[in-house]
C-alpha cells in the first residue's frame, strides 16, 4: 500500500521536494499544500488553515501518512506540534526547537552555552549602546533583527554612511521586520557555506555542501533577496571542514535537546569559513532555498525512506549522500525584490511531463490564467543544471535559463562563476 505524503509550502523548494518524493516509487502519492500552478503533474491540496490545529485536522482528514514542512512560518507557528498531537509523522521541528531560526538571540545564547564558534555579539537597545560597541569593536559590524524578517533583518555596515543609515532604520524609524530586539555583531570575513543535515534529533545525515547567492545583481551587488542561485558541492571543502561542521551540528542538537526542545527535521548551519575555521552566521530550522533545488536531487529514489526515518526518530547509520555537481539559477520577476511586477507570460518551459537529461526547472511564483502561465511576483523559478563538474553543471543551468522568456525577468549571470574555475 503506497504512502500518502503531504508537502507544505508553495515555492521551488517544495516543488523539488515533491519531485524527490515522487521519485521514491510509483505507489507514493504526494500532495503539495498549496503548491503553485507551475507544479505540473503534482497533486495540489488547497491552502491550509492558518491555525495549526485546523491545518493538522485538514491533513488528517486527507488521510495523510507523513507531512514534510518546507517554510519556516508554519514551523514557528507550531504545525509540527499539532501534527504530532494527532499522531501524524512529520519532518519538521517543534515551535520550541524552531526558535533556533526564529530568534537570533536564542540561537546566539545556545551557541555560547555549547561552545559553537560564532561572532561576538550583544543586544543593543539604541544608538548610545551601539556607539559604545562600535568604539570597542570598530567596523565592520552587523545589525540583526532578533525575529523573523523575510531576509530583510540583516545590515552589514562598513562605512560611516551605512552606520548612520542603520542606526536610523533600526532605532529611529524602527522599520526593520522582526526588529523589536536588535543584535549587533562583530563583522567576520570568509566564504560562506550552507551545511544542511536531516536529523531525527539523535543522528544526522549531512547533505553535500552548498553555497547560495543572496544579492540581486552580479558581483554580489544590490539588495538581499530570498536567493538568486546556488551551487553544490563547495570546491575546496575538505575532511577537516566536514569534521568541524559535524561537530557544530552535534553541539547544536545536544544543546537543543538539553534545553528541552529536541530538534528533528532539516537543520541548516550558515557557516562563514574564517581563517580560524567555520563560524556560524545563523541556523535555520528548515531546508535552504535555493539549496533544496540542488540537494533534494541527491536523494535519488530514497527521499521517502529518509523522511520516514527522520519522522519516526529511527534514522539509520548507513546514509551517505553523494555530492554530484549542480548549479541553480533563479529567475525573478521585474522589480524584484522591491516591487515585483506580476502578470507577464512565462514562455519556453519544456512540455508537461518531459524530463530533461541535464537538469530541471522548479517552479515558484507563477499562476495560470486563461491557460497561460504567468509570473505572479517575486522569484519565478529555479533552473538547475547537472554535470560532471561545476563548470558543466553551470553551463547546463544557463542553457536551460536561455530557453525561458519573461519580459523584464532578472537572473544573475555570475552564479558559480568563480567556483566553477576551481571545482
Ligand atoms: N538560502 C538561504 C535560506 O534558505 O535561508
Amino acid at each position: 500500500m503506497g504512502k500518502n505524503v503531504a508537502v507544505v509550502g508553495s515555492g521551488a523548494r517544495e516543488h523539488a521536494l515533491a519531485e524527490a518524493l515522487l521519485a521514491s516509487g510509483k505507489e507514493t502519492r504526494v500532495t503539495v499544500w498549496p503548491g503553485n500552478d507551475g507544479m505540473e503533474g503534482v497533486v495540489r491540496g488547497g491552502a491550509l488553515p492558518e491555525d495549526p490545529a485546523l491545518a493538522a485536522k485538514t491533513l488528517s482528514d486527507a488521510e495523510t501518512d507523513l507531512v514534510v514542512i518546507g517554510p519556516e512560518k508554519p514551523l514557528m507557528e507550531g504545525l509540527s506540534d499539532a501534527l504530532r498531537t494527532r499522531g501524524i509523522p512529520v519532518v519538521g521541528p517543534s515551535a520550541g526547537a524552531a526558535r533556533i531560526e526564529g530568534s537570533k538571540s536564542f540561537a546566539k545564547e545556545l551557541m555560547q552555552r555549547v561552545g559553537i564558534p560564532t561572532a561576538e555579539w550583544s543586544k543593543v537597545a539604541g544608538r548610545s549602546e551601539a556607539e559604545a560597541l562600535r568604539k570597542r569593536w570598530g567596523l565592520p559590524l552587523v545589525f540583526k533583527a532578533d525575529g523573523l524578517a523575510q531576509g530583510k533583518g540583516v545590515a552589514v555596515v562598513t562605512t560611516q554612511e551605512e552606520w548612520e543609515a542603520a542606526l536610523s532604520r533600526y532605532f529611529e524609524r524602527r522599520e526593520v521586520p522582526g526588529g523589536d530586539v536588535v543584535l549587533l555583531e562583530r563583522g567576520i570575513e570568509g566564504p560562506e557555506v550552507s551545511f544542511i543535515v536531516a536529523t531525527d534529533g539523535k543522528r544526522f545525515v549531512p547533505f553535500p555542501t552548498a553555497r547560495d547567492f543572496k544579492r540581486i545583481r552580479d558581483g554580489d551587488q544590490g539588495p538581499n533577496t530570498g536567493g538568486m542561485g546556488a551551487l553544490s558541492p563547495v570546491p575546496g571543502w575538505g575532511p577537516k571542514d566536514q569534521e568541524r561542521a559535524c561537530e557544530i551540528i552535534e553541539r547544536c542538537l545536544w544543546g537543543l535537546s538539553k534545553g528541552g526542545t529536541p530538534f528533528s527535521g532539516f537543520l541548516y548551519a550558515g557557516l562563514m569559513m574564517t581563517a580560524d575555521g567555520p563560524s556560524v552566521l545563523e541556523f535555520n530550522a528548515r531546508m535552504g532555498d535555493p539549496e533544496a533545488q540542488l540537494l533534494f536531487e541527491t536523494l535519488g529514489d530514497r527521499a521517502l525512506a529518509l523522511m520516514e526515518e527522520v519522522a519516526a526518530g529511527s534514522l539509520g547509520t548507513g546514509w551517505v549522500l553523494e555530492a554530484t555537481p549542480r548549479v541553480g539559477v533563479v529567475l525573478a520577476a521585474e522589480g524584484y525584490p522591491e516591487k515585483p511586477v506580476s502578470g507577464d507570460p512565462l514562455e519556453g518551459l519544456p512540455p508537461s511531463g518531459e524530463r530533461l537529461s541535464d537538469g530541471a526547472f522548479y517552479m515558484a511564483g507563477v499562476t495560470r490564467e486563461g491557460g497561460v502561465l504567468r509570473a505572479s511576483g517575486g522569484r519565478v523559478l529555479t533552473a538547475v543544471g547537472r554535470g560532471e563538474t561545476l563548470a558543466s553543471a553551470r553551463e547546463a543551468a544557463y542553457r536551460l535559463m536561455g530557453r525561458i522568456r519573461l519580459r523584464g525577468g532578472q537572473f544573475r549571470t555570475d552564479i558559480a562563476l568563480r567556483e566553477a574555475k576551481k571545482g
Side-chain angles (χ1 to χ4, degrees):
M1 187 52 187
K3 289 286 166 69
N4 198 3
V5 186
V7 169
V8 177
S10 62
R13 169 181 49 203
E14 288 74 30
H15 191 190
L17 172 57
E19 291 288 349
L21 287 161
L22 284 169
S24 301
K26 279 200 196 63
E27 63 289 356
T28 308
R29 281 162 296 142
V30 180
T31 308
V32 191
W33 301 77
N36 67 61
D37 289 352
M39 295 180 178
E40 299 269 357
V42 172
V43 178
R44 309 262 311 275
L48 287 172
E50 290 262 323
D51 180 80
L54 294 180
K57 179 175 183 318
T58 304
L59 292 166
S60 171
D61 291 348
E63 298 183 356
T64 306
D65 297 309
L66 172 71
V67 180
V68 190
I69 302 173
E72 58 277 19
K73 190 166 173 280
L75 294 170
M76 278 153 211
E77 290 170 351
L79 181 55
S80 297
D81 308 75
L83 288 162
R84 289 193 181 104
T85 301
R86 283 189 168 265
I88 301 174
V90 54
V91 178
S94 66
R99 291 182 71 207
I100 195 75
E101 172 167 2
S103 165
K104 302 286 174 243
S105 57
F106 175 87
K108 281 289 202 180
E109 280 157 10
L110 180 123
M111 286 191 255
Q112 261 172 346
R113 263 200 318 279
V114 302
I116 292 175
T118 188
E120 278 185 89
W121 69 287
S122 178
K123 282 185 195 167
V124 282
R127 181 178 273 271
S128 63
E129 283 183 25
E131 296 283 11
L133 282 175
R134 180 181 166 177
K135 261 202 198 107
R136 180 134 55 97
W137 290 336
L139 296 180
L141 289 171
V142 184
F143 285 83
K144 283 187 179 171
D146 192 41
L148 272 192
Q150 298 120 30
K152 298 191 177 104
V154 177
V156 181
V157 168
T158 51
T159 64
Q160 179 62 25
E161 204 182 348
E162 288 168 350
W163 176 255
E164 285 302 331
L167 288 176
S168 162
R169 269 187 76 223
Y170 282 81
F171 299 123
E172 277 136 37
R173 286 184 279 143
R174 293 243 163 230
E175 62 184 22
V176 180
D180 290 344
V181 175
V182 177
L183 276 58
L184 197 57
E185 245 184 55
R186 233 177 149 155
I188 52 173
E189 281 179 359
E192 290 185 28
V193 174
S194 308
F195 190 77
I196 304 170
V197 305
T199 177
D200 65 356
K202 303 179 288 285
R203 295 205 173 91
F204 61 88
V205 181
F207 282 89
T209 53
R211 172 167 297 147
D212 67 342
F213 294 77
K214 296 187 177 74
R215 303 292 187 117
I216 184 77
R217 284 195 286 281
D218 284 5
D220 292 325
Q221 300 297 307
N224 265 332
T225 69
M228 293 301 292
L231 63 86
S232 176
V234 173
W237 181 263
K240 186 78 198 156
D241 299 315
Q242 185 78 4
E243 198 182 298
R244 286 164 144 177
C246 286
E247 192 182 332
I248 286 169
I249 297 292
E250 269 160 30
R251 285 176 186 241
C252 182
L253 292 177
W254 181 79
L256 284 167
S257 182
K258 202 157 181 289
T261 53
F263 187 103
S264 129
F266 300 109
L267 180 60
Y268 171 137
L271 305 177
M272 183 162 271
M273 304 307 289
T274 72
D276 299 328
S279 179
V280 174
L281 296 173
E282 63 177 359
F283 283 109
N284 293 321
R286 53 174 171 81
M287 241 303 168
D289 184 345
E291 290 94 328
Q293 290 87 300
L294 283 53
L295 298 182
F296 281 133
E297 288 192 353
T298 64
L299 295 171
D301 61 1
R302 300 178 296 163
L304 179 61
L306 180 70
M307 310 286 159
E308 284 187 315
E309 289 185 22
V310 166
S314 62
L315 196 53
T317 50
W319 285 96
V320 178
L321 304 181
E322 294 295 342
T324 43
R326 289 184 168 81
V327 170
V329 181
V330 170
L331 175 70
E334 181 180 2
Y336 178 78
E338 287 99 350
K339 281 200 186 135
V341 173
S342 309
D344 285 308
L346 181 69
E347 290 166 357
L349 287 168
S352 171
E354 186 188 311
R355 296 248 157 224
L356 304 171
S357 58
D358 56 354
F361 290 101
Y362 295 111
M363 307 305 295
V366 288
T367 51
R368 193 172 290 283
E369 280 164 30
V372 177
L373 208 55
R374 296 174 187 275
S376 63
R379 292 181 298 163
V380 173
L381 58 79
T382 308
V384 173
R386 308 175 202 119
E388 295 286 314
T389 61
L390 269 184
S392 57
R394 180 172 192 276
E395 272 168 31
Y398 279 106
R399 211 166 34 244
L400 292 186
M401 194 56 97
R403 298 165 58 145
I404 301 296
R405 287 177 303 284
L406 172 68
R407 197 188 61 81
Q410 324 174 56
F411 63 89
R412 279 180 60 161
T413 64
D414 66 346
I415 301 299
L417 182 61
R418 261 182 300 142
E419 293 85 349
K421 291 181 184 142
K422 298 184 204 153

Coordinates of all heavy atoms in Angstrom, one line a residue, residues 13 101 194 212 214 226-227 268 282 284 286-291, ligand 1:
R13 N 11.5 25.2 -3.6 CA 12.0 24.2 -2.7 C 11.0 23.1 -2.5 O 11.3 21.9 -2.6 CB 12.2 24.9 -1.3 CG 12.5 23.9 -0.2 CD 12.7 24.7 1.1 NE 11.6 25.7 1.4 CZ 11.7 26.7 2.1 NH1 12.8 26.9 2.8 NH2 10.7 27.6 2.3
E101 N 15.9 29.3 14.6 CA 15.9 30.3 13.4 C 15.1 31.5 13.8 O 15.4 32.6 13.4 CB 15.2 29.6 12.2 CG 15.0 30.6 11.1 CD 14.6 30.0 9.7 OE1 14.6 28.7 9.6 OE2 14.4 30.7 8.8
S194 N 26.7 26.6 3.1 CA 25.4 26.1 3.7 C 25.7 24.7 4.0 O 25.8 23.8 3.1 CB 24.3 26.3 2.7 OG 24.2 27.6 2.2
D212 N 24.9 29.6 -1.4 CA 23.8 30.4 -2.1 C 24.3 31.8 -2.4 O 25.3 32.2 -1.8 CB 22.5 30.4 -1.3 CG 22.7 31.1 0.0 OD1 23.8 31.4 0.5 OD2 21.6 31.5 0.6
K214 N 22.9 35.6 -2.4 CA 21.8 36.3 -1.9 C 21.4 37.6 -2.5 O 20.3 38.1 -2.5 CB 22.0 36.6 -0.4 CG 22.1 35.3 0.4 CD 22.2 35.5 1.9 CE 22.2 34.2 2.7 NZ 23.5 33.5 2.7
G226 N 15.6 36.5 -1.5 CA 15.4 35.2 -1.0 C 16.4 34.2 -1.5 O 16.5 33.0 -1.1
G227 N 17.3 34.6 -2.4 CA 18.3 33.7 -3.0 C 18.2 33.7 -4.5 O 17.1 33.4 -5.1
Y268 N 19.9 23.7 9.3 CA 20.8 24.4 8.3 C 21.7 25.3 9.1 O 21.3 26.2 9.8 CB 19.8 25.2 7.4 CG 20.4 26.2 6.5 CD1 19.9 26.2 5.2 CD2 21.4 27.1 6.8 CE1 20.3 27.2 4.2 CE2 21.8 28.0 5.9 CZ 21.3 28.0 4.6 OH 21.7 29.0 3.7
E282 N 24.3 31.8 11.2 CA 22.9 31.6 11.5 C 22.6 30.2 11.4 O 23.2 29.4 10.7 CB 22.0 32.4 10.6 CG 22.1 31.9 9.2 CD 21.1 32.6 8.2 OE1 20.3 33.4 8.6 OE2 21.1 32.2 7.0
N284 N 19.1 27.8 10.5 CA 17.7 27.7 10.0 C 17.1 26.4 10.4 O 17.8 25.4 10.4 CB 17.7 28.0 8.5 CG 18.1 29.4 8.1 OD1 17.8 30.3 8.8 ND2 18.8 29.5 7.0
R286 N 15.1 24.6 8.7 CA 14.4 24.0 7.5 C 15.5 23.9 6.5 O 16.6 24.3 6.6 CB 13.4 25.0 7.1 CG 14.0 26.4 6.9 CD 13.3 27.5 6.3 NE 14.0 28.7 6.5 CZ 15.0 29.1 5.7 NH1 15.4 28.4 4.7 NH2 15.7 30.2 5.9
M287 N 15.1 23.3 5.4 CA 16.0 23.2 4.2 C 16.1 24.6 3.6 O 15.2 25.5 3.7 CB 15.3 22.4 3.1 CG 16.0 21.2 2.7 SD 17.6 21.5 2.1 CE 18.2 19.9 2.0
G288 N 17.3 24.9 3.0 CA 17.5 26.2 2.4 C 16.8 26.3 1.0 O 16.5 25.3 0.4
D289 N 16.6 27.5 0.6 CA 16.0 27.7 -0.7 C 16.9 28.8 -1.3 O 17.0 29.9 -0.6 CB 14.6 28.2 -0.6 CG 13.9 28.4 -1.9 OD1 14.6 28.5 -2.9 OD2 12.6 28.5 -1.9
P290 N 17.6 28.7 -2.4 CA 17.5 27.6 -3.4 C 18.4 26.4 -3.2 O 18.4 25.5 -4.1 CB 18.0 28.4 -4.7 CG 18.8 29.5 -4.2 CD 18.5 29.8 -2.8
E291 N 19.0 26.2 -2.1 CA 19.9 25.0 -1.9 C 19.1 23.7 -2.1 O 19.6 22.7 -2.7 CB 20.5 24.9 -0.5 CG 21.6 26.0 -0.2 CD 21.0 27.2 0.4 OE1 19.8 27.6 0.2 OE2 21.7 27.9 1.2
Ligands
LIG1 N1 19.4 30.1 1.2 C1 19.2 30.8 2.5 C2 18.0 30.3 3.2 O1 17.3 29.4 2.8 O2 17.7 30.9 4.2

